[in-house]
């Protein structure tokens, strides 16, 4: 029986919760995430439900990783600005954010990231549209997608803000 | 400064935990214990809150000789003032609640 497999899968940036749910479903079925690549996920066999998996966008921060390790979480790897963690379910519940404010902060981090690369693509796209190679449209398509993603993230944030008006 | 806006539940429990020096995981455990498992601080939330509280000067990291050791934090005097004011505010909330319910 194979004890390792790689699955290629694409998630849009606003689907990070869906991605996390999928990784946890895999873990429930006895496949826990071991490393990540560009749109590819490497799994290794484990006892069904042995681990829970979490992911978040976080700038590279050695202190944060060791802090997470202190709390029993294991660092799996990073892809783009996303970091992946897992924790044995026997060691207690595993969440990265326990209040609305920190969930909003997280969405702000994602928003900032999207604005920066979206803005860069827009700029490069505009500059290149006067260029004889005419490849600027690629950047403009990327910029449009990134701005759309930003809108989706903003929508999530607004929903949380409405919730926060009543409780934390 | 004591008359600030209400603290969040996470902030409140972090400050309560740091009446004695504790490291991150210790704060999570202490909060869990005090609230009988009702309030669970998630690691990402706690990490963000600790740096925000340090920036405000309500808590400080204790100096360690060994950098690889887990960092411990403690409430500052400023943090203690904020915490006392919050306990007073919460008592007022609870008292008003009980009074209103009795009258109702």
């Amino acid at each position: 029986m194979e004890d390792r497999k790689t699955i290629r899968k694409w998630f849009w940036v606003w689907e990070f919760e869906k991605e996390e749910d999928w990784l946890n479903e895999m873990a429930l079925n006895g496949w826990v995430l071991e490393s990540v690549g560009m749109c590819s996920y490497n799994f290794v066999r484990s006892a069904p439900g042995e681990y829970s998996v979490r992911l978040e966008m976080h700038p590279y921060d050695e202190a944060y990783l060791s802090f997470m390790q202190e709390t029993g979480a294991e660092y799996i790897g990073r892809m783009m600005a996303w970091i992946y963690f897992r924790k044995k379910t026997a060691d207690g519940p595993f969440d990265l954010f326990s209040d609305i404010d920190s969930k909003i902060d997280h969405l702000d981090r994602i928003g900032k990231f999207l604005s920066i690369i979206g803005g860069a693509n827009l700029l490069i796209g505009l500059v290149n549209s006067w260029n004889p190679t005419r490849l600027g449209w690629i950047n403009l398509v990327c910029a449009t997608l990134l701005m759309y993603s930003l809108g989706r993230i903003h929508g999530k944030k607004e929903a949380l803000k409405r919730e926060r008006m009543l409780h934390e | 400064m004591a008359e600030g806006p209400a603290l969040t539940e996470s902030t409140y429990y972090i400050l309560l935990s740091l009446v004695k020096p504790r490291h991150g995981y210790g704060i999570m455990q202490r909060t869990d214990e005090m609230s009988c498992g009702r309030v669970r601080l998630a690691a990402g939330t706690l990490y963000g809150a600790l740096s925000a509280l340090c920036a405000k000067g309500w808590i400080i990291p204790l100096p360690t000789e060994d950098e690889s050791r887990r960092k411990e934090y403690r409430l500052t005097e400023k943090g203690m003032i904020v915490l006392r004011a919050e306990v007073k505010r919460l008592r007022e909330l609870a008292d008003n609640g009980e009074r209103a319910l009795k009258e109702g």
Side-chain angles (χ1 to χ4, degrees):
Chain A
M1 196 171 64
E2 284 290 326
D3 57 0
R4 260 163 220 285
K5 68 175 171 184
T6 298
I7 297 181
R8 304 202 149 267
K9 209 169 160 71
W10 172 262
F11 290 99
W12 296 101
V13 67
W14 62 86
E15 293 181 318
F16 63 93
E17 287 139 325
K18 196 172 145 192
E19 179 182 356
E20 196 176 80
D21 287 346
W22 174 67
L23 292 171
N24 280 308
E25 212 173 286
M26 291 295 292
L28 269 181
N29 292 327
W31 289 102
V32 67
L33 186 66
E34 197 175 45
S35 60
V36 280
M38 192 73 180
C39 305
S40 83
Y41 300 84
N42 305 310
F43 297 92
V44 64
R45 272 262 181 234
S46 70
E50 189 183 353
Y51 286 96
S52 3
V53 182
R54 295 280 177 239
L55 56 99
E56 68 168 310
M57 185 174 282
H58 202 285
Y60 186 76
D61 178 357
E62 203 69 56
Y64 184 55
L65 295 186
S66 56
F67 183 86
M68 290 300 292
Q69 262 146 20
E70 259 178 50
T71 68
E74 194 185 327
Y75 168 66
I76 300 174
R78 57 190 303 118
M79 193 62 231
M80 306 288 279
W82 294 93
I83 3 180
Y84 296 76
F85 294 105
R86 65 186 183 191
K87 185 177 171 179
K88 290 211 160 149
T89 43
D91 294 344
F94 183 33
D95 279 304
L96 294 177
F97 308 114
S98 51
D99 61 16
I100 295 181
D101 285 318
S102 54
K103 285 177 191 160
I104 291 177
D105 284 347
H106 180 227
L107 291 171
D108 275 337
R109 284 205 289 276
I110 302 176
K112 210 180 276 172
F113 177 79
L114 292 174
S115 317
I116 292 171
I117 52 172
N121 270 287
L122 184 65
L123 202 74
I124 297 168
L126 288 177
V127 169
N128 280 348
S129 56
W130 281 281
N131 194 310
T133 53
R134 302 242 173 258
L135 282 174
W137 64 273
I138 299 175
N139 294 102
L140 291 178
V141 170
C142 287
T144 311
L145 266 171
L146 288 162
M147 290 306 159
Y148 175 73
S149 308
L150 188 61
R152 295 291 294 249
I153 295 296
H154 184 74
K156 278 178 190 280
K157 208 170 91 180
E158 287 304 305
L160 284 179
K161 279 186 176 168
R162 278 194 296 277
E163 208 180 312
R164 195 180 51 183
M165 289 175 77
L166 295 178
H167 60 89
E168 12 175 300
Chain B
M1 87 145 285
E3 295 292 318
L7 302 182
T8 64
E9 213 167 61
S10 313
T11 308
Y12 182 64
Y13 272 110
I14 293 168
L15 294 183
L16 283 187
S17 305
L18 291 179
V19 167
K20 273 189 190 167
R22 284 196 165 82
H23 51 72
Y25 192 51
I27 299 172
M28 290 164 84
Q29 284 174 317
R30 181 72 186 135
T31 298
D32 195 272
E33 210 175 277
M34 279 190 285
S35 68
C36 300
R38 188 181 63 81
V39 181
R40 287 185 189 280
L41 291 175
T45 299
L46 176 59
Y47 189 78
L50 286 175
S51 51
L53 290 171
C54 283
K56 273 203 165 280
W58 294 0
I59 63 171
I60 43 162
L62 296 181
T64 50
E65 312 86 67
D66 184 0
E67 274 301 309
S68 64
R69 277 209 40 186
R70 308 199 265 193
K71 212 188 251 180
E72 283 196 315
Y73 298 85
R74 190 176 46 81
L75 209 59
T76 60
E77 231 162 89
K78 204 167 159 190
M80 187 59 99
I81 294 170
V82 173
L83 187 55
R84 281 189 206 285
E86 183 65 359
V87 172
K88 199 174 141 204
R89 191 188 69 86
L90 290 171
R91 185 174 300 126
E92 179 201 297
L93 288 187
D95 286 351
N96 283 338
E98 268 165 26
R99 207 171 303 131
L101 287 177
K102 241 181 253 163
E103 284 166 11

